[in-house]
Amino acid sequence: MNTCTNEYPHKTGEYVSYKNNGICKIKDIVTKEFAGMDSKTYYELQMVFDRGNVLYIPVDAKNLVQEMRHVLSAQEIEDVITRSIQCQDVWIDDGKARAAQYEEILAEGDRSRILWIIKTLSAHRKQAEQNKKKMYAADAKILASAEKIIKEEFAFVLGIEREQVIPYIMEQLRRSETASSI
């Protein structure tokens, strides 16, 4: 039952990035009853890259609704890549503090800073591998979450495969650095 009205910040048919779940289409705004609970109105989110999963987000749960971010445009993606070059966050030696800081960045959803996390943790992983070590499990988990967020959104918007996203970003970064050195 579609109960979509103008009172909700998101509309049926809109695509959103939801937390670490990736890109979702708002399939409907429905009133449902789950497990004997009172009837509530929910955003029904159909995951784009995992069509078997549907999420129900209560429209009145502001903290959860705030996690539904509008999908970037192609131009915004280019801007994000360019801005990621200027991110000056510093490496945090303490693993727990680093994980907390990176989780906060992921929750905020600033794609430039998320790209910075990917660059930083990828370089850290490469250095660890060269030293015959493994990266911390918490770092690996954060890197996987960051890559999922970026790969899914960029692939969806740019119409490319998820595996092509990182090479695409690297090419854009190379071009930006070449252009700025001229």
Side-chain angles (χ1 to χ4, degrees), residues 87-106:
C87 286
Q88 296 298 317
D89 294 313
V90 230
W91 178 258
I92 301 167
D93 286 327
D94 180 270
K96 287 183 182 182
R98 184 174 57 250
Q101 178 68 36
Y102 288 2
E103 289 290 349
E104 187 176 307
I105 291 169
L106 292 177

Side-chain angles (χ1 to χ4, degrees), residues 129-148:
E129 287 170 354
Q130 288 173 346
N131 295 329
K132 307 278 191 253
K133 295 182 179 181
K134 290 185 177 183
M135 73 186 315
Y136 290 125
D139 288 337
K141 180 182 172 194
I142 289 167
L143 178 58
S145 293
E147 286 180 339
K148 180 179 179 180

Side-chain angles (χ1 to χ4, degrees), residues 46-134:
Q46 174 74 54
M47 293 178 70
V48 169
F49 290 104
D50 188 4
R51 294 205 180 269
N53 284 336
V54 176
L55 306 170
Y56 291 92
I57 310 303
V59 297
D60 61 352
K62 292 182 190 223
N63 61 328
L64 297 176
V65 172
Q66 287 176 345
E67 300 286 341
M68 295 169 55
R69 293 184 177 82
H70 294 282
V71 174
L72 298 175
S73 69
Q75 181 57 55
E76 288 171 320
I77 286 174
E78 298 303 321
D79 295 343
V80 161
I81 293 170
T82 302
R83 280 194 320 270
S84 74
I85 295 168
Q86 287 117 25
C87 286
Q88 296 298 317
D89 294 313
V90 230
W91 178 258
I92 301 167
D93 286 327
D94 180 270
K96 287 183 182 182
R98 184 174 57 250
Q101 178 68 36
Y102 288 2
E103 289 290 349
E104 187 176 307
I105 291 169
L106 292 177
E108 289 170 358
D110 180 332
R111 276 61 151 223
S112 296
R113 292 184 75 202
I114 293 172
L115 271 180
W116 177 84
I117 288 174
I118 293 170
K119 289 189 302 185
T120 301
L121 288 179
S122 294
H124 182 70
R125 177 179 56 200
K126 185 176 181 178
Q127 184 180 16
E129 287 170 354
Q130 288 173 346
N131 295 329
K132 307 278 191 253
K133 295 182 179 181
K134 290 185 177 183

Side-chain angles (χ1 to χ4, degrees), residues 13-18 21-28 43-57 68 152 156:
E14 181 180 333
Y15 288 92
V16 295
S17 175
Y18 182 65
N21 293 290
I23 303 298
C24 301
K25 181 178 183 177
I26 299 176
K27 190 173 170 185
D28 207 349
Y43 287 108
E44 183 178 4
L45 305 180
Q46 174 74 54
M47 293 178 70
V48 169
F49 290 104
D50 188 4
R51 294 205 180 269
N53 284 336
V54 176
L55 306 170
Y56 291 92
I57 310 303
M68 295 169 55
E152 286 201 5
F156 176 76

